[in-house]
Amino acid sequence: MNLNVSSFSLLSLTLLLLFSPTVTADNITHAFEKYSNFSTMSDLFTKTKLTTLISKYQTITLLAVNNNNISSITNKSAIELKNILMTHVILDYYDELKLKGMKEKSIMLTTLYQTTGLGEEMNGFLNCTKSKGRVYFGSGVKGSPLNAEYVTTLYHNPFNLSIIQISMPIVAPGLSLAVLPPPPPPVPLAPAPAPSTMNAAMAPSPSPMSGATPPAPAPGPGDEDNASDSNVPKLTPETETPEVDSPAPTPSADNEKIEAADKAGKTSSACKTRFSFEVVVLLMVFFVSFAWF
């Protein structure tokens, strides 16, 4: 029996979701028409063309702010205002019954701004916190204040469209500036090819008529000799630098022995030469004397 009841409930919920009307721009405008105190909010959604974007979704919850408390964002530029309003569109269904049935906790709610792909540091999410029976909303960015309090439900079509009032608009960090997609990276340029040796050799030389200075002629063999002679400085005797005799190397013990032997040999040779000379003189005197007699 319990199984049949559960199956019937699940089937009923499925049929309700399948055949429930989708959110349209006309539905949103019609819901705001009943509350003149929210005319500024309705005009801003129409001006930024968010009603057309919202109509693509089947389940939406709008956080609305009355005319007295919305003036803080009306002076923003069109792109800034659109970014702020998209964070007031929750991609889920919440009404008074669902909010009051929440436990004392915090939950993160996905907004329409998160679908743009421009969200950063959780500014595409809202923090919904219930504390002491009261529900507060704020940006999902860490450290953001929860100062937008739930007031009442203005319009609800279960599981389709709900418009709930909050005490003040929510401005997440980074939404007050125009957030645009980053530009594509620049395409690197290919380096120019270096000229080859053959192309450099085939390149024509500049003509004398072009005004360029012709290159100097290459020197011939005779010019090179004259140039070399003219480049060599001629030194006069007065400017010549006297050569400094380098000190003689200190003789070693072996050298001293060799020098002593050389001196002894030279002395003995001199003695022998002197002796031979004296013998020859004596012989000549002898023969002269003999011939005389």
Side-chain angles (χ1 to χ4, degrees):
M1 183 65 180
N2 293 334
L3 182 60
N4 292 334
V5 173
S6 300
S7 301
F8 178 76
S9 300
L10 182 60
L11 178 62
S12 300
L13 180 60
T14 303
L15 292 175
L16 180 62
L17 293 175
L18 290 175
F19 294 101
S20 60
T22 58
V23 180
T24 63
D26 294 336
N27 290 343
I28 297 173
T29 304
H30 180 70
F32 274 118
E33 283 179 353
K34 298 180 180 181
Y35 304 93
S36 59
N37 196 28
F38 293 86
S39 59
T40 303
M41 189 80 172
S42 177
D43 292 342
L44 292 178
F45 270 103
T46 304
K47 178 182 177 181
T48 56
K49 299 180 181 180
L50 283 178
T51 51
T52 304
L53 183 60
I54 291 172
S55 63
K56 298 179 181 180
Y57 296 87
Q58 188 173 359
T59 303
I60 288 295
T61 299
L62 297 182
L63 304 182
V65 182
N66 60 26
N67 296 343
N68 297 330
N69 298 324
I70 201 174
S71 59
S72 61
I73 64 171
T74 54
N75 60 346
K76 304 290 185 181
S77 64
I79 185 66
E80 293 172 340
L81 186 60
K82 186 175 183 179
N83 290 340
I84 294 173
L85 291 178
M86 280 193 291
T87 61
H88 290 68
V89 181
I90 301 173
L91 303 182
D92 202 350
Y93 181 83
Y94 286 89
D95 57 9
E96 183 175 2
L97 181 62
K98 189 172 182 179
L99 291 174
K100 287 186 176 181
M102 281 179 57
K103 296 181 180 180
E104 299 278 330
K105 63 177 183 179
S106 298
I107 57 175
M108 288 292 176
L109 308 177
T110 305
T111 69
L112 186 62
Y113 182 75
Q114 183 64 22
T115 64
T116 63
L118 303 177
E120 55 183 13
E121 297 184 359
M122 298 292 290
N123 62 0
F125 296 87
L126 290 181
N127 183 353
C128 178
T129 300
K130 187 174 184 180
S131 175
K132 298 180 181 180
R134 306 173 75 172
V135 179
Y136 300 90
F137 293 90
S139 172
V141 178
K142 185 178 180 180
S144 299
L146 299 173
N147 47 14
E149 184 179 358
Y150 167 77
V151 179
T152 186
T153 299
L154 302 177
Y155 175 87
H156 65 95
N157 183 9
F159 307 105
N160 179 225
L161 174 62
S162 176
I163 300 177
I164 62 178
Q165 180 185 357
I166 57 177
S167 60
M168 62 184 299
I170 302 170
V171 181
L175 298 182
S176 59
L177 301 177
V179 182
L180 301 176
V187 179
L189 299 177
S196 62
T197 306
M198 182 177 295
N199 293 338
M202 295 178 64
S205 58
S207 174
M209 299 299 294
S210 62
T213 304
D223 296 337
E224 292 181 356
D225 296 339
N226 296 335
S228 61
D229 294 341
S230 60
N231 292 333
V232 177
K234 297 181 179 180
L235 300 178
T236 58
E238 289 78 10
T239 59
E240 290 182 354
T241 304
E243 296 182 358
V244 179
D245 295 335
S246 58
T250 304
S252 61
D254 294 337
N255 292 338
E256 291 179 355
K257 292 180 180 180
I258 294 173
E259 290 179 358
D262 291 341
K263 290 180 179 180
K266 290 179 179 180
T267 304
S268 59
S269 298
C271 294
K272 290 179 180 180
T273 303
R274 184 177 178 181
F275 177 75
S276 300
F277 178 75
E278 291 177 353
V279 171
V280 171
V281 171
L282 291 176
L283 289 175
M284 291 179 64
V285 171
F286 175 76
F287 283 113
V288 170
S289 300
F290 180 77
W292 179 264
F293 288 103

